[in-house]
Amino acid sequence: MTKPLFDTLAIIGPGLIGSSIARAAHAQGAVRSIVATARSPKTRKRVAELGIADKVTETNAEAVEGADLVIVCVPVGICGGVAKEIGPHLKPGAIVSDVGSVKGSVVRDMGAHLPKTVHFVPAHPVAGTEHSGPDAGFAELFENRWCILTPPDGTDPEPVERLAAFWRLLGANVDTMTPEHHDLVLAVTSHLPHLIAYTIVGTADELETVTRSEVLKFSAGGFRDFTRIASSDPVMWRDVFLNNKEAVLEMLGRFNEDVAALTKAIRRGDGEALSEHFSRTRAIRRGVIEAGQDTPEADFGRPHGHED
């Protein structure tokens, strides 16, 4: 049995990611005990029923008392408020982290309320499904996925490595980058694709010449995949776009320029330009597969009913 890396793990917000961390930490023996809390009494009751935490508390402050590792798993827009609540109750020497897909705003909003006696190491496990809530989590979610750590300048490297070891034990690959670079990378790889997916599905829903039943009936792979992406948690994604505004707008500007160029090629009947563009993007797909982040088959490495 692996010696636990931490004595007590506190999870604030045991939804898809939080409950998956709890399940994986239990499965791998990464911690001795897990405390969890959620704003909703219904969620707290469900977490207790599922047995994914050793203790469920009513408040965030109670949850972090004595915890060696605290992971905040809430929408990025409320991370600052949670940090303000838990700040006075944190154990000196504790590591405080999060799972948000925007890091610049989290570093700013959480860092302002955390005491200097704790180690603040923001993180982003790049994994998930379109499902949400404690029932949606599963221990294998992070296997062969990346977790990006974004410690602020001047952070002690020892707690950063301890947190990296925790994520590796949960099955993840770990990389470290600045919060600013993270937000630019994720604007390209995650945030813009979600924005496009929400837009395309919304456009299809508003077409008067195509009925909704036809859209549902004839959903080919492309549109079907967009609907999966566009079914993700709306509160989480609202906060992502509001908190990573500059990087998303920069990438959206570049995307609009590329769409304009493709529009021109189609209008002119320029097949060569289209073929060149499609060949280049096809190579990116091959690269994703070679990097082990997907396979040609759907649902690789995922329990039935879950998609990455």
Side-chain angles (χ1 to χ4, degrees):
M1 186 72 176
T2 306
K3 183 184 177 184
L5 295 172
F6 295 94
D7 189 53
T8 303
L9 163 65
I11 293 176
I12 298 176
L16 167 67
I17 300 296
S19 71
S20 293
I21 292 172
R23 287 176 169 97
H26 261 316
Q28 299 301 327
V31 299
R32 290 190 199 281
S33 66
I34 298 175
V35 182
T37 188
R39 284 183 302 175
S40 161
K42 182 181 176 184
T43 303
R44 294 197 297 269
K45 181 172 181 287
R46 186 58 184 150
V47 170
E49 289 169 355
L50 290 168
I52 55 178
D54 300 292
K55 181 181 177 184
V56 180
T57 66
E58 289 192 12
T59 69
N60 295 337
E62 283 179 272
V64 304
E65 292 279 1
D68 306 283
L69 173 60
V70 176
I71 303 182
V72 177
C73 308
V74 301
V76 292
I78 59 173
C79 279
V82 169
K84 188 176 183 180
E85 282 180 59
I86 66 175
H89 305 275
L90 292 165
K91 172 183 175 180
I95 296 175
V96 180
S97 191
D98 76 311
V99 297
S101 70
V102 178
K103 297 271 69 98
S105 66
V106 165
V107 168
R108 180 192 69 224
D109 296 345
M110 289 188 70
H113 300 294
L114 297 176
K116 297 198 184 306
T117 53
V118 304
H119 305 287
F120 181 35
V121 187
H124 176 204
V126 188
T129 76
E130 74 270 32
H131 305 292
S132 57
D135 285 276
F138 53 103
E140 303 84 3
L141 179 64
F142 310 110
E143 288 182 5
N144 201 32
R145 295 296 182 251
W146 284 92
C147 183
I148 303 170
L149 306 185
T150 62
D153 283 344
T155 302
D156 183 345
E158 193 273 333
V160 176
E161 183 46 46
R162 283 189 73 201
L163 186 62
F166 173 81
W167 278 108
R168 289 190 196 103
L169 193 54
L170 268 52
N173 305 309
V174 179
D175 201 354
T176 304
M177 57 182 71
T178 66
E180 297 75 21
H181 188 66
H182 166 279
D183 288 354
L184 196 61
V185 171
L186 269 292
V188 180
T189 61
S190 176
H191 305 166
L192 184 59
H194 274 82
L195 190 65
I196 293 166
Y198 279 116
T199 304
I200 288 174
V201 174
T203 300
D205 191 45
E206 292 167 6
L207 284 175
E208 293 180 1
T209 53
V210 179
T211 67
R212 177 176 285 199
S213 64
E214 286 175 317
V215 168
L216 298 177
K217 184 177 178 181
F218 301 116
S219 283
F223 186 78
R224 183 188 64 228
D225 290 344
F226 276 127
T227 61
R228 178 178 61 80
I229 296 169
S231 67
S232 301
D233 184 356
V235 174
M236 182 185 81
W237 282 101
R238 175 202 66 193
D239 284 4
V240 165
F241 292 121
L242 292 178
N243 286 280
N244 198 23
K245 188 188 303 185
E246 289 181 14
V248 169
L249 288 175
E250 180 181 337
M251 292 307 147
L252 194 55
R254 295 188 183 202
F255 175 75
N256 286 333
E257 290 172 8
D258 289 343
V259 169
L262 286 174
T263 302
K264 189 182 293 183
I266 293 169
R267 184 177 290 121
R268 291 177 174 175
D270 189 346
E272 189 176 331
L274 293 173
S275 293
E276 183 185 339
H277 184 81
F278 298 155
S279 297
R280 184 160 51 89
T281 54
R282 193 179 184 188
I284 295 290
R285 170 62 182 169
R286 285 196 296 271
V288 169
I289 293 170
E290 288 166 7
Q293 294 305 295
D294 202 353
T295 68
E297 301 79 26
D299 302 333
F300 172 67
R302 292 289 174 268
H304 182 67
H306 291 279
E307 298 177 355
D308 183 58

